[in-house]
Amino acid sequence: MKIICIGRNYSEHIKELGNEVPDEPVIFLKPDSAVLIRNNPFYYPSFTKEIDYEAELVVCICKLGKNIEEKFAHKYYEEIGVGIDFTARDLQRKAKEKGLPWTLAKGFNGSAPISEFVPKSNFSDINAIGFSLKQNGELKQQGNSSMMLHKIDQIISYVSKFFTLKKGDLIFTGTPAGVGTIKVGDKLEVFLEDQKMIECEIK
Ligand code: MG
């Protein structure tokens, strides 16, 4: 199983980090060891002093495919969930400055808490799914798939040119504005529409 992540997919978030709007999706990977399930706590690692939460819609791939045309992309996922793309921003900044990969800043243990997945048929429009994140009860991020620069079907078509997609692969589709740092003792909650899907304590 692989975790494919899209960076810079919401314009307000691109602005808040001072990045450029990309022509093509920005892609990075996390290893399977990054996954955190069943609301397990996240243990703050010692190699960073600045971890940001990034709430994202997550798509679960349901069958093998490569070079998928955008018009057929919808056949390759049945379920949607939410996740947090934890990012060691200090390590990422250092890597960006030197033009080095983000792997350690994005792929460390527990850096990908994910929810249970729900059928996409629960939603009337894949390109109008709302999600949000609260930190210690306070609303910090509110996103909607309608605001994505690259829509889900486009992303699947694009990444499948490079990587064969396999059943169970996950795609993190990018975060909206409002990212912020976490600290030990925090409680993060991620919602898909109005339903709480993740509760994650930082220990
Ligand atoms: Mg992200």
Side-chain angles (χ1 to χ4, degrees):
M1 182 268 252
K2 56 188 171 293
I3 306 167
I4 300 162
C5 306
I6 316 303
R8 301 178 194 169
N9 204 23
Y10 288 81
S11 55
E12 291 304 313
H13 170 63
I14 293 171
K15 279 187 212 159
E16 75 183 343
L17 291 189
N19 288 317
E20 277 175 30
V21 177
D23 303 331
E24 290 177 320
V26 173
I27 309 296
F28 58 93
L29 299 173
K30 292 180 187 256
D32 56 4
S33 48
V35 167
L36 202 58
I37 52 169
R38 295 191 202 93
N39 291 332
N40 275 317
F42 172 75
Y43 289 92
Y44 204 109
S46 58
F47 49 74
T48 168
K49 296 204 162 12
E50 187 185 355
I51 295 179
D52 279 1
Y53 56 76
E54 296 187 355
E56 312 201 356
L57 285 178
V58 181
V59 174
C60 185
I61 296 297
C62 65
K63 64 175 180 178
L64 190 91
K66 61 178 171 181
N67 294 316
I68 300 164
E69 280 184 60
E70 195 179 320
K71 64 180 178 199
F72 298 127
H74 65 97
K75 296 174 187 273
Y76 290 82
Y77 62 102
E78 294 292 346
E79 294 180 313
I80 303 269
V82 286
I84 305 173
D85 167 18
F86 278 135
T87 303
R89 199 67 75 196
D90 48 356
L91 300 189
Q92 190 195 30
R93 207 176 293 122
K94 219 189 282 179
K96 277 186 190 171
E97 279 165 13
K98 295 183 178 168
L100 294 171
W102 301 354
T103 311
L104 298 179
K106 288 284 197 180
F108 51 87
N109 286 339
S111 63
I114 51 169
S115 68
E116 299 279 319
F117 286 79
V118 299
K120 70 176 181 189
S121 55
N122 288 10
F123 306 96
S124 54
D125 183 357
I126 281 300
N127 292 316
I129 302 176
F131 62 104
S132 58
L133 176 142
K134 287 181 182 175
Q135 182 180 30
N136 304 322
E138 193 184 328
L139 184 64
K140 295 285 191 172
Q141 285 192 288
Q142 231 175 346
N144 191 293
S145 55
S146 64
M147 296 151 62
M148 290 179 180
L149 298 176
H150 303 279
K151 307 291 189 219
I152 292 171
D153 289 358
Q154 253 178 302
I155 293 168
I156 287 175
S157 174
Y158 182 79
V159 298
S160 74
K161 290 183 205 169
F162 300 86
F163 308 132
T164 298
L165 297 179
K166 294 184 178 178
K167 188 176 180 193
D169 286 350
L170 301 177
I171 303 181
F172 276 63
T173 57
T175 200
V179 302
T181 55
I182 57 167
K183 56 184 188 316
V184 172
D186 278 357
K187 187 176 85 171
L188 301 177
E189 297 164 287
V190 186
F191 298 79
L192 184 54
E193 301 288 3
D194 292 332
Q195 189 163 357
K196 194 200 294 191
M197 301 291 287
I198 295 177
E199 194 172 297
C200 180
E201 279 182 49
I202 313 302
K203 294 199 171 177

